[in-house]
């Protein structure tokens, strides 16, 4: 099973709304990630959690707030977004945070969810 | 930062033809990954390569990790309509403790003409 589940699949929100994106995996992976993808562009890393602790924040604006309640769940809380934040938001996980850090060997490959298509109006 | 040069940017091929795409970089990488992404969906892992010179197949797909650690190619044989999509190469930097950044190529958009 290499499934990463994201909900919702689509989300439309106003600039004053607060919403959350959810991600779940049951592969025992200890590293989880949020990516943002604009049309016709590759995914861009936003946040990395390793063993439920935030390891990387790629200078993401504070209107995006990640949370990792446990090793299987990852949330992205959204507040006061701008229209330019409209994009496909992808969650991913990989088997071992340690292997991922060292970037070698099996376990470093990241598995992605199907994404949440976010539209900010 | 590290950059991956992926080519071609797009391809139009006839069903049944073979396809080849590649990624190159001036930096050394430890792991090469190839993903396929359909519109509105997340990338799906096709092949993972871990060692320089490694050649790996997955059905009609074949990928190789370049001996210099700076390049990789993906071949698709006997293409079919469902091969349509965007193919990304991705990899991690060779060194850098604590470096979690998966670097992506810009993608190759494949169109298959029935």
């Amino acid at each position: 099973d290499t499934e990463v589940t994201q909900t919702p699949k689509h989300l439309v929100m106003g600039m004053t709304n607060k919403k959350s994106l959810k991600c779940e995996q049951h592969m025992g992976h200890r590293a989880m990630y949020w990516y943002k993808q604009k049309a016709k562009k590759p995914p861009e890393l936003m946040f990395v959690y390793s063993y439920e602790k935030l390891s990387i924040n790629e200078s993401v604006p504070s209107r995006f707030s990640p949370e990792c309640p446990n090793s299987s769940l990852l949330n992205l809380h959204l507040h006061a977004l701008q229209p330019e934040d409209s994009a496909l938001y992808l969650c991913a996980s990989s088997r071992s945070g340690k292997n991922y850090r060292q970037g070698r060997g099996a376990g470093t490959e990241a598995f992605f969810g199907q994404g949440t298509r976010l539209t900010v109006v | 930062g590290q950059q991956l040069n992926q080519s071609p940017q797009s391809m139009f091929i006839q069903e049944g033809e073979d396809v080849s795409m590649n990624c190159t970089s001036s930096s050394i990488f430890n792991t090469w990954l190839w993903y396929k992404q359909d519109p509105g969906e997340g990338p799906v892992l096709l092949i993972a390569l871990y060692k320089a010179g490694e050649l790996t197949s997955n059905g009609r797909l074949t990928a190789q990790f370049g001996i210099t650690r700076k390049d990789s190619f993906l071949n698709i044989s006997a293409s079919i309509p469902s091969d349509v999509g965007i193919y990304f190469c991705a990899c991690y930097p060779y060194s850098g403790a604590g470096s979690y950044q998966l670097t992506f190529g810009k993608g190759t958009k494949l169109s298959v003409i029935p």
Side-chain angles (χ1 to χ4, degrees):
Chain A
D1 180 14
T2 57
E3 189 169 319
V4 177
T5 304
Q6 288 186 244
T7 55
K9 190 165 175 61
H10 301 277
L11 178 62
V12 179
M13 60 184 290
M15 289 188 284
T16 59
N17 291 161
K18 287 184 179 180
K19 296 287 184 182
S20 297
L21 309 183
K22 297 186 182 300
C23 176
E24 189 169 3
Q25 57 87 15
H26 295 288
M27 295 178 277
H29 289 178
R30 301 310 298 273
M32 296 186 76
Y33 321 93
W34 281 114
Y35 285 83
K36 174 183 177 180
Q37 187 178 26
K38 301 286 274 186
K40 300 183 181 180
K41 297 288 185 181
E44 296 178 4
L45 184 65
M46 300 175 71
F47 302 104
V48 179
Y49 274 83
S50 177
Y51 294 90
E52 295 92 69
K53 292 184 180 177
L54 183 63
S55 297
I56 289 181
N57 176 341
E58 288 285 7
S59 302
V60 178
S62 60
R63 57 186 184 269
F64 295 91
S65 176
E67 178 196 19
C68 190
N70 59 56
S71 61
S72 299
L73 297 174
L74 186 66
N75 299 322
L76 186 62
H77 303 298
L78 314 172
H79 174 55
L81 295 194
Q82 303 297 310
E84 58 265 29
D85 295 321
S86 299
L88 181 68
Y89 287 84
L90 295 163
C91 173
S93 70
S94 64
R95 188 193 314 170
S96 167
K98 178 181 179 181
N99 282 342
Y100 193 62
R101 178 171 65 247
Q102 294 169 344
R104 53 176 180 262
T108 58
E109 58 271 19
F111 294 92
F112 286 82
Q114 78 275 30
T116 294
R117 172 65 63 190
L118 174 66
T119 303
V120 182
V121 297
Chain B
Q2 291 90 355
Q3 283 194 323
L4 298 181
N5 302 309
Q6 186 171 351
S7 64
Q9 254 187 322
S10 62
M11 304 179 72
F12 289 84
I13 62 168
Q14 292 282 346
E15 183 177 356
E17 288 184 348
D18 297 343
V19 173
S20 185
M21 60 192 78
N22 68 83
C23 276
T24 62
S25 175
S26 58
S27 302
I28 292 175
F29 292 99
N30 246 351
T31 302
W32 283 91
L33 306 173
W34 284 94
Y35 291 90
K36 176 178 183 260
Q37 187 173 27
D38 292 328
E41 301 289 330
V44 174
L45 182 67
L46 299 174
I47 290 181
L49 301 160
Y50 307 112
K51 297 179 182 178
E54 182 179 356
L55 182 71
T56 298
S57 294
N58 178 8
R60 294 179 296 106
L61 307 178
T62 302
Q64 186 159 30
F65 192 149
I67 198 73
T68 64
R69 294 183 177 269
K70 295 182 179 181
D71 63 308
S72 177
F73 71 74
L74 174 70
N75 289 342
I76 305 173
S77 62
S79 58
I80 59 178
S82 60
D83 290 333
V84 166
I86 300 179
Y87 292 79
F88 290 102
C89 61
C91 43
Y92 302 107
Y94 180 70
S95 61
S99 176
Y100 290 75
Q101 283 93 341
L102 185 61
T103 299
F104 279 86
K106 293 189 175 180
T108 295
K109 184 177 180 180
L110 179 63
S111 301
V112 178
I113 304 168

